[in-house]
Amino acid sequence: MSGENCETCGDVAVRMVVLGFEEAEELALCRGEDGGRVRVDTGIVGPVAAGDSLLVHAGTALARERA
Amino acid sequence: MRFVQEFRDAELGRALAADIAALVEPGRSYKLMEICGGHTHAIYRYGIDGMLPEQVELVHGPGCPVCVLPMGRVDDGIAIAHEPGVIFACFGDMLRVPGSRGTLLEAKAEGADVRMVYSPLDALEIARANPDREVVFFAIGFETTAPSTALTLRRAKAEGIANFSCVCNHVTIVPPLQALLDSPSLEVDGFIGPGHVSSVVGVRPFDFVPAEHGKPMVVSGFEPLDVLQSIRMLLAQFADGRRELENQYARVVAWDGNPRALAVMAEVFEPRASFEWRGLGTIPRSALKLSDAYAELDAERRFTTPGVRVGDPPACQCGEVLTGAIRPWECKVFGTACTPERAIGTCMVSPEGACAAYYTYGRYARERGVTV
């Protein structure tokens, strides 16, 4: 849940910043807007790097945000 | 934070609202449907509907996967949760969705081991930590969520985790949209298209909306300025006499979607011949099941379930809300017998549901006659 809504059941994604990346596992350690840290599956966005901004839904990175 | 604050700027919001007002043609009204529950939530949360001219009405489509799940599927999940030795993992919104004989939360109170998870990956972690238990993940969601389930199932298969399986309730957005557009009772002038679903499937699958039905669609982001800009783009199309598919959310959505996501979904899932949608009936090829290559991870093949079709409660008008035929507060049980605390209909259960979003953000202002 994110605040008062459930991002997994809605078409909602939350922004997270990549802190580290395990390439073999395709998992990134990310920090959310609330400061919490979670492991995120990067299987559909490919390799990421520290500092990348991701949109994360249900524990999976959906996209890298482009400026 | 980058990408957030610049899309919540109040001054820019007022400027967009003024642009929208200027595009309204005298004597004309506009009924725009947001397909996605996330948009419904954003519209009420940020008071976007209150910034629009009276001639622009927003109606809420079938974009909340919890809201459209029929009661029989919930009953099937509860039956599996009560199986001895099962750990039943699901997203938080599913816990309070009523089946015909209660909810998953009530099943938990009765002793079933029901656990809320944030992601399918969390459910897989529970399976790794409990090798002597059967862990069943109740997957639900549109194409936004389906890749997450698919990636997790691929991990489970690769690691040979035999005590993990999945009840697949994933649905797809194009068939119900097609069904809505084919309905002679639909009175919608244009569509605010789903943003994160489109990050997976792309914009192109929605070509048929203007091409076959003459309705404009703008795929939209979820921040307040995203939604306002999308509405402005729709009204500009009307003013110019155009009926086109446009992408407001280009910073996230590619026209052809995400090829990696589409590939893993094609590997793990295949279309069901048909699927029942609450309020919309049975729609061909509108949901996904596990492919034969993943049959050993399919909980529907591993467990026996009732599989019974259950009709909606007679008082519930979720179907009419989901098709835009009535607005949430026009349902006869809205806010009285049906509230977020004690929901009759699924539109009131999920925060992304149109009724819950309206109840939470609109009800009291409307009752007081205050413009939000």
Short mmCIF file of all heavy atoms in Angstrom, two decimals, chain A residues 4-13 15-17 25-27 33 41 43-44 46 53 55-60 62-67, chain B residues 1-4 36 41 45 65-66 91 93 118-120 144-145 148 151 155 195-197 222-223 249-252 258 260-261 351-352 361:
data_model
loop_
_atom_site.label_atom_id
_atom_site.label_comp_id
_atom_site.label_asym_id
_atom_site.label_seq_id
_atom_site.Cartn_x
_atom_site.Cartn_y
_atom_site.Cartn_z
N GLU A 4 -2.93 6.00 1.06
CA GLU A 4 -4.28 5.49 1.21
C GLU A 4 -4.70 4.63 0.03
O GLU A 4 -5.82 4.18 -0.01
CB GLU A 4 -5.25 6.66 1.41
CG GLU A 4 -5.46 7.53 0.19
CD GLU A 4 -4.34 8.52 -0.05
OE1 GLU A 4 -3.31 8.46 0.65
OE2 GLU A 4 -4.47 9.35 -0.96
N ASN A 5 -3.80 4.42 -0.91
CA ASN A 5 -4.22 3.59 -2.03
C ASN A 5 -3.27 2.41 -2.22
O ASN A 5 -2.16 2.40 -1.71
CB ASN A 5 -4.31 4.42 -3.32
CG ASN A 5 -2.97 4.97 -3.76
OD1 ASN A 5 -2.22 5.45 -2.95
ND2 ASN A 5 -2.70 4.88 -5.03
N CYS A 6 -3.76 1.43 -2.96
CA CYS A 6 -2.98 0.22 -3.19
C CYS A 6 -2.41 0.24 -4.59
O CYS A 6 -3.16 0.13 -5.56
CB CYS A 6 -3.86 -1.01 -2.99
SG CYS A 6 -3.00 -2.53 -3.36
N GLU A 7 -1.12 0.42 -4.70
CA GLU A 7 -0.54 0.59 -6.04
C GLU A 7 -0.49 -0.71 -6.80
O GLU A 7 -0.35 -0.73 -8.01
CB GLU A 7 0.86 1.20 -5.97
CG GLU A 7 1.94 0.32 -5.41
CD GLU A 7 2.12 0.53 -3.92
OE1 GLU A 7 1.24 1.13 -3.30
OE2 GLU A 7 3.13 0.08 -3.41
N THR A 8 -0.64 -1.82 -6.09
CA THR A 8 -0.59 -3.09 -6.80
C THR A 8 -1.90 -3.38 -7.52
O THR A 8 -1.90 -4.01 -8.57
CB THR A 8 -0.29 -4.24 -5.83
OG1 THR A 8 -1.11 -4.11 -4.69
CG2 THR A 8 1.15 -4.24 -5.43
N CYS A 9 -3.01 -2.93 -6.95
CA CYS A 9 -4.31 -3.24 -7.57
C CYS A 9 -4.73 -2.17 -8.55
O CYS A 9 -5.53 -2.42 -9.44
CB CYS A 9 -5.38 -3.44 -6.51
SG CYS A 9 -5.03 -4.86 -5.49
N GLY A 10 -4.28 -0.96 -8.38
CA GLY A 10 -4.58 0.07 -9.35
C GLY A 10 -3.47 0.12 -10.38
O GLY A 10 -2.48 -0.59 -10.29
N ASP A 11 -3.65 0.97 -11.36
CA ASP A 11 -2.62 1.12 -12.39
C ASP A 11 -1.61 2.15 -11.89
O ASP A 11 -1.30 3.12 -12.55
CB ASP A 11 -3.30 1.59 -13.68
CG ASP A 11 -2.35 1.57 -14.87
OD1 ASP A 11 -1.43 0.74 -14.88
OD2 ASP A 11 -2.54 2.41 -15.76
N VAL A 12 -1.09 1.90 -10.69
CA VAL A 12 -0.27 2.90 -10.01
C VAL A 12 1.16 2.41 -9.92
O VAL A 12 1.41 1.24 -9.66
CB VAL A 12 -0.82 3.17 -8.60
CG1 VAL A 12 0.03 4.18 -7.87
CG2 VAL A 12 -2.26 3.64 -8.67
N ALA A 13 2.09 3.32 -10.13
CA ALA A 13 3.50 2.99 -9.94
C ALA A 13 4.12 4.05 -9.03
O ALA A 13 3.70 5.20 -9.05
CB ALA A 13 4.22 2.95 -11.28
N ARG A 15 7.64 6.02 -7.59
CA ARG A 15 8.98 6.38 -8.01
C ARG A 15 10.00 5.90 -6.99
O ARG A 15 9.80 6.08 -5.78
CB ARG A 15 9.10 7.89 -8.17
CG ARG A 15 8.37 8.38 -9.37
CD ARG A 15 8.27 9.88 -9.41
NE ARG A 15 7.49 10.26 -10.56
CZ ARG A 15 6.15 10.27 -10.57
NH1 ARG A 15 5.47 9.95 -9.49
NH2 ARG A 15 5.50 10.59 -11.66
N MET A 16 11.07 5.29 -7.47
CA MET A 16 12.14 4.86 -6.59
C MET A 16 13.48 5.17 -7.24
O MET A 16 13.59 5.16 -8.47
CB MET A 16 12.03 3.37 -6.30
CG MET A 16 10.81 3.01 -5.47
SD MET A 16 10.85 1.31 -4.87
CE MET A 16 9.39 1.29 -3.85
N VAL A 17 14.46 5.41 -6.40
CA VAL A 17 15.81 5.68 -6.89
C VAL A 17 16.68 4.47 -6.62
O VAL A 17 16.66 3.89 -5.52
CB VAL A 17 16.39 6.93 -6.18
CG1 VAL A 17 17.84 7.16 -6.59
CG2 VAL A 17 15.55 8.16 -6.52
N GLU A 25 21.14 -11.39 -10.66
CA GLU A 25 19.79 -11.67 -10.17
C GLU A 25 18.75 -10.76 -10.81
O GLU A 25 17.55 -10.92 -10.58
CB GLU A 25 19.74 -11.50 -8.65
CG GLU A 25 20.53 -12.55 -7.88
CD GLU A 25 19.89 -13.93 -7.98
OE1 GLU A 25 18.66 -14.03 -7.86
OE2 GLU A 25 20.63 -14.89 -8.23
N GLU A 26 19.20 -9.74 -11.54
CA GLU A 26 18.30 -8.73 -12.09
C GLU A 26 17.45 -8.09 -10.99
O GLU A 26 16.25 -7.90 -11.13
CB GLU A 26 17.41 -9.30 -13.19
CG GLU A 26 18.19 -9.76 -14.42
CD GLU A 26 17.29 -10.13 -15.59
OE1 GLU A 26 16.29 -10.84 -15.35
OE2 GLU A 26 17.58 -9.71 -16.72
N LEU A 27 18.09 -7.81 -9.87
CA LEU A 27 17.42 -7.17 -8.74
C LEU A 27 18.15 -5.88 -8.37
O LEU A 27 19.38 -5.85 -8.35
CB LEU A 27 17.39 -8.11 -7.53
CG LEU A 27 16.53 -9.36 -7.63
CD1 LEU A 27 16.76 -10.26 -6.42
CD2 LEU A 27 15.04 -8.99 -7.74
N GLU A 33 10.07 7.20 -2.08
CA GLU A 33 9.89 8.59 -1.64
C GLU A 33 9.79 8.68 -0.12
O GLU A 33 10.10 9.72 0.47
CB GLU A 33 8.64 9.19 -2.28
CG GLU A 33 8.79 9.44 -3.77
CD GLU A 33 7.52 9.99 -4.39
OE1 GLU A 33 6.99 10.99 -3.88
OE2 GLU A 33 7.05 9.43 -5.39
N ASP A 41 12.56 -6.05 -8.89
CA ASP A 41 12.87 -6.86 -10.06
C ASP A 41 13.04 -5.95 -11.27
O ASP A 41 12.14 -5.16 -11.59
CB ASP A 41 11.72 -7.86 -10.30
CG ASP A 41 12.12 -8.98 -11.22
OD1 ASP A 41 12.85 -8.73 -12.20
OD2 ASP A 41 11.68 -10.12 -10.98
N GLY A 43 13.72 -7.09 -14.37
CA GLY A 43 13.70 -7.99 -15.52
C GLY A 43 13.15 -7.39 -16.80
O GLY A 43 13.49 -7.85 -17.89
N ILE A 44 12.28 -6.39 -16.71
CA ILE A 44 11.72 -5.84 -17.96
C ILE A 44 12.29 -4.48 -18.33
O ILE A 44 11.91 -3.92 -19.35
CB ILE A 44 10.17 -5.79 -17.93
CG1 ILE A 44 9.65 -4.82 -16.87
CG2 ILE A 44 9.59 -7.17 -17.74
CD1 ILE A 44 8.15 -4.57 -16.97
N GLY A 46 15.85 -3.99 -17.92
CA GLY A 46 17.26 -4.19 -18.21
C GLY A 46 18.14 -3.63 -17.12
O GLY A 46 17.66 -3.17 -16.08
N SER A 53 16.16 6.71 -11.86
CA SER A 53 14.81 6.86 -11.32
C SER A 53 13.89 5.86 -12.01
O SER A 53 13.79 5.85 -13.24
CB SER A 53 14.31 8.29 -11.55
OG SER A 53 12.98 8.43 -11.10
N LEU A 55 10.05 3.70 -12.17
CA LEU A 55 8.65 3.59 -11.76
C LEU A 55 8.43 2.13 -11.40
O LEU A 55 8.64 1.24 -12.24
CB LEU A 55 7.72 3.99 -12.91
CG LEU A 55 7.50 5.48 -13.11
CD1 LEU A 55 6.64 5.71 -14.33
CD2 LEU A 55 6.84 6.09 -11.88
N VAL A 56 8.00 1.89 -10.17
CA VAL A 56 7.93 0.52 -9.66
C VAL A 56 6.47 0.17 -9.33
O VAL A 56 5.76 0.94 -8.70
CB VAL A 56 8.79 0.38 -8.39
CG1 VAL A 56 8.66 -1.02 -7.80
CG2 VAL A 56 10.25 0.68 -8.71
N HIS A 57 6.08 -1.00 -9.79
CA HIS A 57 4.72 -1.49 -9.55
C HIS A 57 4.80 -2.95 -9.12
O HIS A 57 5.41 -3.77 -9.82
CB HIS A 57 3.89 -1.35 -10.83
CG HIS A 57 2.54 -1.97 -10.76
ND1 HIS A 57 1.42 -1.26 -10.35
CD2 HIS A 57 2.10 -3.21 -11.01
CE1 HIS A 57 0.37 -2.06 -10.38
NE2 HIS A 57 0.75 -3.25 -10.78
N ALA A 58 4.23 -3.26 -7.99
CA ALA A 58 4.21 -4.63 -7.48
C ALA A 58 5.61 -5.24 -7.42
O ALA A 58 5.82 -6.40 -7.76
CB ALA A 58 3.29 -5.51 -8.32
N GLY A 59 6.57 -4.42 -7.01
CA GLY A 59 7.93 -4.93 -6.83
C GLY A 59 8.72 -5.09 -8.10
O GLY A 59 9.83 -5.61 -8.08
N THR A 60 8.17 -4.61 -9.20
CA THR A 60 8.86 -4.72 -10.49
C THR A 60 8.99 -3.34 -11.11
O THR A 60 8.04 -2.57 -11.13
CB THR A 60 8.05 -5.65 -11.44
OG1 THR A 60 8.04 -6.95 -10.89
CG2 THR A 60 8.66 -5.68 -12.83
N LEU A 62 8.75 -0.89 -13.87
CA LEU A 62 8.03 -0.84 -15.14
C LEU A 62 8.77 -0.05 -16.18
O LEU A 62 8.72 -0.33 -17.37
CB LEU A 62 6.66 -0.15 -14.94
CG LEU A 62 5.54 -0.91 -14.28
CD1 LEU A 62 4.31 -0.01 -14.22
CD2 LEU A 62 5.23 -2.18 -15.04
N ALA A 63 9.44 1.02 -15.73
CA ALA A 63 10.08 1.92 -16.69
C ALA A 63 11.08 2.80 -15.97
O ALA A 63 10.99 2.99 -14.75
CB ALA A 63 9.02 2.79 -17.38
N ARG A 64 12.03 3.27 -16.75
CA ARG A 64 12.90 4.35 -16.29
C ARG A 64 12.23 5.64 -16.74
O ARG A 64 11.79 5.72 -17.88
CB ARG A 64 14.26 4.25 -16.98
CG ARG A 64 15.37 3.75 -16.13
CD ARG A 64 16.62 3.75 -16.96
NE ARG A 64 16.61 2.59 -17.84
CZ ARG A 64 17.47 1.59 -17.72
NH1 ARG A 64 18.40 1.61 -16.80
NH2 ARG A 64 17.42 0.56 -18.54
N GLU A 65 12.15 6.61 -15.87
CA GLU A 65 11.54 7.86 -16.30
C GLU A 65 12.54 8.65 -17.15
O GLU A 65 13.70 8.78 -16.79
CB GLU A 65 11.11 8.69 -15.11
CG GLU A 65 9.85 8.13 -14.48
CD GLU A 65 9.11 9.16 -13.68
OE1 GLU A 65 9.67 9.67 -12.72
OE2 GLU A 65 7.96 9.44 -14.02
N ARG A 66 12.01 9.12 -18.24
CA ARG A 66 12.82 9.94 -19.15
C ARG A 66 12.45 11.39 -18.96
O ARG A 66 11.28 11.72 -18.76
CB ARG A 66 12.56 9.54 -20.60
CG ARG A 66 12.97 8.12 -20.93
CD ARG A 66 12.80 7.83 -22.41
NE ARG A 66 11.40 7.78 -22.79
CZ ARG A 66 10.66 6.66 -22.79
NH1 ARG A 66 11.22 5.53 -22.43
NH2 ARG A 66 9.41 6.66 -23.16
N ALA A 67 13.43 12.23 -19.02
CA ALA A 67 13.17 13.67 -18.87
C ALA A 67 12.43 14.19 -20.09
O ALA A 67 12.53 13.63 -21.16
CB ALA A 67 14.46 14.43 -18.70
N MET B 1 10.92 16.15 -5.35
CA MET B 1 11.56 15.06 -6.10
C MET B 1 11.34 15.28 -7.59
O MET B 1 10.26 15.68 -8.02
CB MET B 1 10.96 13.71 -5.67
CG MET B 1 11.68 12.52 -6.25
SD MET B 1 11.03 11.00 -5.58
CE MET B 1 12.14 9.82 -6.30
N ARG B 2 12.37 15.00 -8.37
CA ARG B 2 12.26 15.16 -9.81
C ARG B 2 11.10 14.33 -10.35
O ARG B 2 10.83 13.24 -9.86
CB ARG B 2 13.58 14.71 -10.44
CG ARG B 2 13.74 15.18 -11.87
CD ARG B 2 15.11 14.74 -12.38
NE ARG B 2 15.21 15.04 -13.78
CZ ARG B 2 15.89 14.30 -14.65
NH1 ARG B 2 16.50 13.24 -14.25
NH2 ARG B 2 15.94 14.64 -15.91
N PHE B 3 10.43 14.82 -11.36
CA PHE B 3 9.29 14.17 -12.01
C PHE B 3 8.01 14.27 -11.19
O PHE B 3 6.98 13.81 -11.60
CB PHE B 3 9.54 12.70 -12.32
CG PHE B 3 10.69 12.44 -13.25
CD1 PHE B 3 11.76 11.69 -12.84
CD2 PHE B 3 10.68 12.98 -14.53
CE1 PHE B 3 12.82 11.45 -13.70
CE2 PHE B 3 11.74 12.74 -15.39
CZ PHE B 3 12.82 11.98 -14.98
N VAL B 4 8.07 14.78 -9.99
CA VAL B 4 6.86 14.86 -9.17
C VAL B 4 6.42 16.31 -9.02
O VAL B 4 5.34 16.69 -9.46
CB VAL B 4 7.08 14.22 -7.79
CG1 VAL B 4 5.83 14.39 -6.93
CG2 VAL B 4 7.41 12.75 -7.93
N CYS B 36 -8.81 3.98 -16.18
CA CYS B 36 -7.93 3.42 -15.16
C CYS B 36 -8.33 3.87 -13.75
O CYS B 36 -8.58 5.06 -13.51
CB CYS B 36 -6.54 3.90 -15.50
SG CYS B 36 -5.37 3.54 -14.26
N HIS B 41 -8.66 7.75 -8.88
CA HIS B 41 -8.13 8.13 -7.56
C HIS B 41 -7.46 9.49 -7.62
O HIS B 41 -7.67 10.35 -6.77
CB HIS B 41 -7.15 7.06 -7.11
CG HIS B 41 -6.82 7.12 -5.66
ND1 HIS B 41 -7.62 6.55 -4.70
CD2 HIS B 41 -5.81 7.73 -5.01
CE1 HIS B 41 -7.09 6.79 -3.52
NE2 HIS B 41 -5.99 7.51 -3.68
N ARG B 45 -8.46 12.76 -5.57
CA ARG B 45 -7.45 13.15 -4.58
C ARG B 45 -7.02 14.60 -4.76
O ARG B 45 -6.83 15.34 -3.79
CB ARG B 45 -6.25 12.22 -4.69
CG ARG B 45 -5.15 12.57 -3.72
CD ARG B 45 -3.99 11.60 -3.83
NE ARG B 45 -3.00 11.87 -2.80
CZ ARG B 45 -1.85 11.24 -2.67
NH1 ARG B 45 -1.56 10.25 -3.48
NH2 ARG B 45 -1.02 11.55 -1.71
N PRO B 65 -8.89 -3.73 -11.34
CA PRO B 65 -9.01 -5.18 -11.49
C PRO B 65 -9.71 -5.84 -10.32
O PRO B 65 -10.33 -6.90 -10.47
CB PRO B 65 -7.56 -5.64 -11.60
CG PRO B 65 -6.75 -4.55 -11.00
CD PRO B 65 -7.50 -3.28 -11.25
N VAL B 66 -9.62 -5.23 -9.14
CA VAL B 66 -10.34 -5.78 -7.99
C VAL B 66 -11.85 -5.62 -8.20
O VAL B 66 -12.64 -6.52 -7.93
CB VAL B 66 -9.90 -5.08 -6.69
CG1 VAL B 66 -10.83 -5.40 -5.54
CG2 VAL B 66 -8.48 -5.50 -6.33
N PHE B 91 -2.48 -9.49 -2.58
CA PHE B 91 -2.36 -8.06 -2.35
C PHE B 91 -3.40 -7.61 -1.33
O PHE B 91 -4.44 -8.25 -1.16
CB PHE B 91 -2.55 -7.29 -3.66
CG PHE B 91 -1.50 -7.56 -4.70
CD1 PHE B 91 -1.83 -7.65 -6.04
CD2 PHE B 91 -0.17 -7.71 -4.34
CE1 PHE B 91 -0.86 -7.90 -7.01
CE2 PHE B 91 0.81 -7.95 -5.30
CZ PHE B 91 0.46 -8.05 -6.63
N ASP B 93 -5.62 -5.24 -1.17
CA ASP B 93 -7.00 -4.94 -1.56
C ASP B 93 -7.88 -6.17 -1.65
O ASP B 93 -9.10 -6.08 -1.50
CB ASP B 93 -7.00 -4.23 -2.93
CG ASP B 93 -6.88 -2.73 -2.78
OD1 ASP B 93 -6.58 -2.29 -1.65
OD2 ASP B 93 -7.07 -2.02 -3.77
N TYR B 118 3.35 -7.38 -0.79
CA TYR B 118 3.50 -6.20 -1.64
C TYR B 118 3.75 -6.60 -3.09
O TYR B 118 3.37 -5.89 -4.01
CB TYR B 118 4.65 -5.35 -1.09
CG TYR B 118 5.16 -4.31 -2.05
CD1 TYR B 118 4.39 -3.19 -2.37
CD2 TYR B 118 6.41 -4.44 -2.64
CE1 TYR B 118 4.85 -2.24 -3.25
CE2 TYR B 118 6.88 -3.49 -3.53
CZ TYR B 118 6.10 -2.39 -3.83
OH TYR B 118 6.55 -1.46 -4.71
N SER B 119 4.37 -7.75 -3.28
CA SER B 119 4.73 -8.15 -4.64
C SER B 119 4.71 -9.68 -4.76
O SER B 119 4.81 -10.38 -3.75
CB SER B 119 6.14 -7.66 -4.98
OG SER B 119 7.10 -8.38 -4.25
N PRO B 120 4.61 -10.19 -5.99
CA PRO B 120 4.72 -11.64 -6.19
C PRO B 120 6.06 -12.16 -5.67
O PRO B 120 6.14 -13.29 -5.16
CB PRO B 120 4.61 -11.81 -7.71
CG PRO B 120 3.95 -10.58 -8.20
CD PRO B 120 4.32 -9.48 -7.25
N THR B 144 -0.27 -4.08 -16.30
CA THR B 144 0.73 -3.43 -15.45
C THR B 144 1.35 -4.43 -14.49
O THR B 144 2.55 -4.40 -14.21
CB THR B 144 0.06 -2.31 -14.62
OG1 THR B 144 -0.88 -1.64 -15.43
CG2 THR B 144 1.08 -1.35 -14.08
N THR B 145 0.51 -5.30 -13.93
CA THR B 145 0.93 -6.22 -12.87
C THR B 145 1.36 -7.57 -13.43
O THR B 145 2.17 -8.26 -12.80
CB THR B 145 -0.21 -6.42 -11.86
OG1 THR B 145 -0.89 -5.18 -11.66
CG2 THR B 145 0.31 -6.91 -10.53
N SER B 148 5.06 -8.63 -13.54
CA SER B 148 5.63 -8.93 -12.23
C SER B 148 5.36 -10.38 -11.85
O SER B 148 6.25 -11.10 -11.37
CB SER B 148 5.02 -7.97 -11.19
OG SER B 148 5.68 -8.08 -9.97
N LEU B 151 7.50 -12.65 -14.22
CA LEU B 151 8.92 -12.73 -13.84
C LEU B 151 9.11 -13.62 -12.62
O LEU B 151 10.07 -14.39 -12.53
CB LEU B 151 9.45 -11.32 -13.54
CG LEU B 151 9.65 -10.39 -14.74
CD1 LEU B 151 9.89 -8.96 -14.26
CD2 LEU B 151 10.82 -10.85 -15.61
N ARG B 155 11.20 -17.12 -12.26
CA ARG B 155 12.20 -17.38 -11.20
C ARG B 155 11.90 -18.69 -10.49
O ARG B 155 12.80 -19.50 -10.22
CB ARG B 155 12.19 -16.26 -10.16
CG ARG B 155 12.86 -14.98 -10.57
CD ARG B 155 12.79 -13.95 -9.44
NE ARG B 155 13.18 -12.63 -9.92
CZ ARG B 155 14.44 -12.22 -10.01
NH1 ARG B 155 15.43 -13.01 -9.62
NH2 ARG B 155 14.72 -11.01 -10.47
N GLY B 195 -2.16 4.80 -18.28
CA GLY B 195 -0.75 5.15 -18.41
C GLY B 195 0.18 3.98 -18.21
O GLY B 195 1.02 3.68 -19.07
N HIS B 196 0.04 3.29 -17.09
CA HIS B 196 1.03 2.25 -16.80
C HIS B 196 0.75 0.95 -17.53
O HIS B 196 1.68 0.22 -17.87
CB HIS B 196 1.15 2.06 -15.28
CG HIS B 196 1.72 3.29 -14.63
ND1 HIS B 196 1.24 3.82 -13.46
CD2 HIS B 196 2.70 4.13 -15.04
CE1 HIS B 196 1.93 4.91 -13.16
NE2 HIS B 196 2.80 5.12 -14.10
N VAL B 197 -0.50 0.64 -17.79
CA VAL B 197 -0.79 -0.47 -18.70
C VAL B 197 -0.10 -0.23 -20.03
O VAL B 197 0.53 -1.11 -20.62
CB VAL B 197 -2.32 -0.64 -18.91
CG1 VAL B 197 -2.60 -1.47 -20.15
CG2 VAL B 197 -2.98 -1.28 -17.70
N PHE B 222 -0.28 10.26 -14.30
CA PHE B 222 -1.15 10.23 -13.11
C PHE B 222 -1.03 11.44 -12.20
O PHE B 222 -1.77 11.55 -11.23
CB PHE B 222 -0.87 8.96 -12.31
CG PHE B 222 -1.25 7.72 -13.06
CD1 PHE B 222 -0.40 7.16 -13.98
CD2 PHE B 222 -2.50 7.17 -12.89
CE1 PHE B 222 -0.76 6.05 -14.71
CE2 PHE B 222 -2.89 6.05 -13.61
CZ PHE B 222 -2.00 5.49 -14.52
N GLU B 223 -0.07 12.30 -12.50
CA GLU B 223 0.02 13.51 -11.69
C GLU B 223 -1.07 14.48 -12.13
O GLU B 223 -1.59 14.38 -13.24
CB GLU B 223 1.41 14.14 -11.84
CG GLU B 223 2.54 13.27 -11.31
CD GLU B 223 2.45 13.00 -9.82
OE1 GLU B 223 1.80 13.80 -9.12
OE2 GLU B 223 3.01 11.99 -9.36
N TYR B 249 1.82 10.75 -21.99
CA TYR B 249 2.74 10.18 -20.98
C TYR B 249 4.02 9.67 -21.66
O TYR B 249 4.53 8.61 -21.30
CB TYR B 249 2.02 9.05 -20.26
CG TYR B 249 2.51 8.71 -18.88
CD1 TYR B 249 3.18 9.60 -18.07
CD2 TYR B 249 2.26 7.44 -18.36
CE1 TYR B 249 3.60 9.26 -16.79
CE2 TYR B 249 2.67 7.08 -17.09
CZ TYR B 249 3.34 7.99 -16.31
OH TYR B 249 3.74 7.65 -15.04
N ALA B 250 4.53 10.44 -22.61
CA ALA B 250 5.67 9.96 -23.41
C ALA B 250 6.93 9.80 -22.59
O ALA B 250 7.85 9.10 -23.00
CB ALA B 250 5.91 10.92 -24.57
N ARG B 251 7.00 10.42 -21.41
CA ARG B 251 8.20 10.25 -20.61
C ARG B 251 8.30 8.84 -20.02
O ARG B 251 9.36 8.46 -19.52
CB ARG B 251 8.25 11.30 -19.48
CG ARG B 251 7.19 11.18 -18.40
CD ARG B 251 7.29 12.36 -17.42
NE ARG B 251 6.41 12.22 -16.27
CZ ARG B 251 5.12 12.52 -16.25
NH1 ARG B 251 4.53 12.96 -17.35
NH2 ARG B 251 4.39 12.38 -15.15
N VAL B 252 7.21 8.09 -20.09
CA VAL B 252 7.21 6.71 -19.58
C VAL B 252 6.78 5.71 -20.66
O VAL B 252 7.30 4.60 -20.72
CB VAL B 252 6.27 6.60 -18.35
CG1 VAL B 252 6.03 5.15 -17.96
CG2 VAL B 252 6.86 7.38 -17.17
N ASN B 258 6.75 -2.22 -24.00
CA ASN B 258 8.01 -2.75 -23.47
C ASN B 258 8.23 -4.17 -24.00
O ASN B 258 7.54 -5.10 -23.57
CB ASN B 258 7.93 -2.76 -21.94
CG ASN B 258 9.21 -3.25 -21.30
OD1 ASN B 258 9.85 -4.17 -21.79
ND2 ASN B 258 9.59 -2.63 -20.19
N ARG B 260 10.51 -6.43 -23.58
CA ARG B 260 10.89 -7.44 -22.57
C ARG B 260 9.65 -7.91 -21.81
O ARG B 260 9.49 -9.11 -21.53
CB ARG B 260 11.89 -6.86 -21.59
CG ARG B 260 13.30 -6.67 -22.11
CD ARG B 260 14.09 -5.88 -21.09
NE ARG B 260 15.45 -5.61 -21.50
CZ ARG B 260 16.51 -6.28 -21.05
NH1 ARG B 260 16.36 -7.24 -20.19
NH2 ARG B 260 17.72 -5.98 -21.47
N ALA B 261 8.80 -6.97 -21.42
CA ALA B 261 7.59 -7.33 -20.66
C ALA B 261 6.65 -8.17 -21.52
O ALA B 261 6.11 -9.19 -21.05
CB ALA B 261 6.87 -6.06 -20.19
N PRO B 351 -9.56 1.16 -2.95
CA PRO B 351 -9.44 2.62 -3.01
C PRO B 351 -9.45 3.15 -4.44
O PRO B 351 -9.80 4.29 -4.67
CB PRO B 351 -8.10 2.89 -2.33
CG PRO B 351 -7.86 1.71 -1.47
CD PRO B 351 -8.47 0.55 -2.19
N GLU B 352 -9.04 2.29 -5.40
CA GLU B 352 -9.07 2.72 -6.79
C GLU B 352 -10.47 2.60 -7.39
O GLU B 352 -10.72 3.06 -8.49
CB GLU B 352 -8.10 1.89 -7.65
CG GLU B 352 -6.68 2.39 -7.60
CD GLU B 352 -6.01 2.08 -6.29
OE1 GLU B 352 -6.37 1.05 -5.67
OE2 GLU B 352 -5.15 2.85 -5.88
N TYR B 361 -13.28 11.21 -1.24
CA TYR B 361 -12.86 12.57 -1.59
C TYR B 361 -14.00 13.51 -1.98
O TYR B 361 -13.80 14.70 -2.05
CB TYR B 361 -11.86 12.52 -2.73
CG TYR B 361 -10.57 11.86 -2.32
CD1 TYR B 361 -10.20 10.65 -2.87
CD2 TYR B 361 -9.75 12.43 -1.37
CE1 TYR B 361 -9.02 10.02 -2.49
CE2 TYR B 361 -8.58 11.81 -0.98
CZ TYR B 361 -8.21 10.61 -1.55
OH TYR B 361 -7.05 10.00 -1.17
#
